[in-house]
Amino acid sequence: MFYSNFNTFNDISQSGISLNSAEGDYKLSSPVSLGFPFPFFGNNYNSIRVASDGYITFDMIVNVNDTGTSNGKIPSNDLPNNIIAVYWHDLDVAFLGSSEVHYQLFTNTSPNRIVVQWSNFDFWNQNQAFADATLTFQVTLYETGMIVMSYNAMIANDPANQDNATCGTSADHGTTIGLENSNGTQSITYCYNQAGMIASYSTLEFQGIGP
């Protein structure tokens, strides 16, 4: 795992495919084909599902009602499992309705990859006396197994929530960033409810998670 303040964010909000089923509060998309096998904790996967709460899962069976309404500590037997938690938080659409989720496949490149992006999301129950939070981030999965999480603007305009934008501070308003295997017995955790762990325009890179 490698953390850097180098900005690798490459906006796909105009070029990518909209995932309307993952936009809103407490949403989980239908399966998205990767176009290549992706190695993750000893298994290869060909599809993902995208959650509005800032994670993707390789579990094609889990129901959104099984995933809970807030982030959790990993590893854990509790659902969801088999996840890449890019910014797992109880997120909601922004007050002005500008939140979007997109994905884009790059399958004629070397290596092949897919990018998933959450744009302009807000914290659930954000104090509307302030302008919306601005939470925009993405994850890139490479066929080699490398995972790159890129954070663009991660700003809570409500001062009371500012620590939440950097990874959160409590069980009620925290964030999980990391990886977890299919049965919740192994994980690589970058942060769980710890303030100051993510800066705007920063990057997290994971390698060697495959078979």
Side-chain angles (χ1 to χ4, degrees):
M1 180 171 57
F2 174 74
Y3 177 79
S4 170
N5 287 322
F6 181 72
N7 184 14
T8 61
F9 186 89
N10 185 16
D11 187 15
I12 63 162
S13 61
Q14 301 301 313
S15 57
I17 298 172
S18 178
L19 266 178
N20 294 326
S21 58
E23 296 173 5
D25 186 29
Y26 197 31
K27 301 291 186 181
L28 188 63
S29 78
S30 55
V32 175
S33 176
L34 296 176
F36 54 86
F38 181 77
F40 190 70
F41 283 108
N43 296 304
N44 287 310
Y45 298 96
N46 295 294
S47 299
I48 58 172
R49 298 174 74 190
V50 180
S52 60
D53 283 343
Y55 66 87
I56 63 176
T57 179
F58 298 101
D59 190 341
M60 296 297 108
I61 300 175
V62 65
N63 187 288
V64 67
N65 294 323
D66 298 327
T67 61
T69 58
S70 61
N71 69 306
K73 189 174 183 178
I74 55 175
S76 171
N77 290 329
D78 294 337
L79 296 175
N81 298 129
N82 221 13
I83 64 170
I84 297 176
V86 190
Y87 192 82
W88 181 16
H89 188 106
D90 189 5
L91 299 176
D92 200 358
V93 293
F95 185 53
L96 298 179
S98 59
S99 303
E100 297 179 309
V101 181
H102 294 87
Y103 75 94
Q104 187 167 354
L105 287 164
F106 299 87
T107 54
N108 292 313
T109 62
S110 182
N112 294 324
R113 66 192 188 277
I114 185 172
V115 180
V116 179
Q117 178 173 318
W118 294 257
S119 302
N120 301 318
F121 271 78
D122 201 346
F123 300 119
W124 183 82
N125 204 25
Q126 170 84 2
N127 186 343
Q128 299 301 339
F130 295 89
D132 282 359
T134 304
L135 306 172
T136 297
F137 53 94
Q138 65 184 200
V139 63
T140 304
L141 309 186
Y142 293 84
E143 64 179 341
T144 59
M146 184 169 69
I147 300 166
V148 178
M149 301 177 183
S150 304
Y151 301 89
N152 197 39
M154 304 295 290
I155 300 169
N157 289 319
D158 179 350
N161 282 312
Q162 188 58 58
D163 282 344
N164 295 341
T166 63
C167 198
T169 56
S170 71
D172 292 331
H173 298 289
T175 301
T176 303
I177 297 175
L179 319 174
E180 186 191 54
N181 71 346
S182 60
N183 57 9
T185 59
Q186 291 180 276
S187 72
I188 300 174
T189 304
Y190 176 70
C191 68
Y192 171 68
N193 295 356
Q194 296 169 269
M197 297 295 287
I198 284 292
S200 294
Y201 316 114
S202 62
T203 297
L204 266 175
E205 182 179 307
F206 300 81
Q207 298 194 53
I209 315 302

